Each structure stands twice: as structure tokens, then as C-alpha cells.
Amino acid sequence: MKHTASSGAVIFSGARRPAHTQDMQPLQIDLLGYAAATLTSIAFIPQAWLMWKTRSAHGVSLGMYSIFITGVAGWLAYGLLIGSWPIIVANVVTLTLACFIFGMKLRFG
């Protein structure tokens, strides 16, 4: 829903949008979010596939994935709280793939 704040800024769904994006439709912005989310989420597939195929996780940092999974879970919670589907979908996919890689690290070392 589009509103105008007392400062003159255009507000969509409770969030202020920068002036340079005010001509973009919410659907266009969501599509950009989905495209970015798709690319960053599928970036984990080659790593997961390689680990599954070789049954080796020697080059994967357990600490990095622990921190990363915690961060992605935070982004997912944030997306749920603000009701942003691009953030929710991206982080569900990313969290699933990251947990898969984390599990393989625990299993294969």
C-alpha cells in the first residue's frame, strides 16, 4: 500500500523508499529481490553437489557455516516479521542448503 509520510517520502508497507526508487512499482522491486535471492541461494548448489559426490568436506569451515546459518536464520526471522516474500523464500532455500552442507561437514569431516 502506498502512503506519503509527513516528510514527503513515499512509504510502501511501512518502509520508506529512497527517492530514486519511487517510480518503480512494488512488483518490479519484488522481482529484483527474487532474482537476487535466486542467484545467491543457488550459489550453494555446486558446493553441496561436490560434497555429496566426493563424500568429502575437508575444505569447508564448520565455524563459518555455524555463524552463517545463524545469520540466515536471523534474516528469515526478519523476513517473516516484515512479511517480505523475497526475503522469506531466499532464506528458506539458503538455510536448507547451508544446513545440508553443515550436515555433510559433520558426517564427512
Side-chain angles (χ1 to χ4, degrees), residues 27-43:
L27 178 61
Q28 291 173 309
I29 295 169
D30 279 350
L31 289 175
L32 175 61
Y34 281 117
T38 299
L39 293 172
T40 56
S41 296
I42 65 172

Side-chain angles (χ1 to χ4, degrees), residues 30-95:
D30 279 350
L31 289 175
L32 175 61
Y34 281 117
T38 299
L39 293 172
T40 56
S41 296
I42 65 172
F44 287 89
I45 293 174
Q47 180 69 57
W49 177 252
L50 180 65
M51 290 173 69
W52 180 257
K53 189 170 77 171
T54 63
R55 302 289 197 252
S56 174
H58 293 291
V60 175
S61 167
L62 194 60
M64 178 271 186
Y65 269 88
S66 298
I67 294 167
F68 182 73
I69 287 170
T70 303
V72 172
W75 275 111
L76 176 57
Y78 173 73
L80 290 167
L81 289 170
I82 66 169
S84 174
W85 282 105
I87 293 173
I88 294 166
V89 172
N91 286 291
V92 164
V93 171
T94 301
L95 188 60

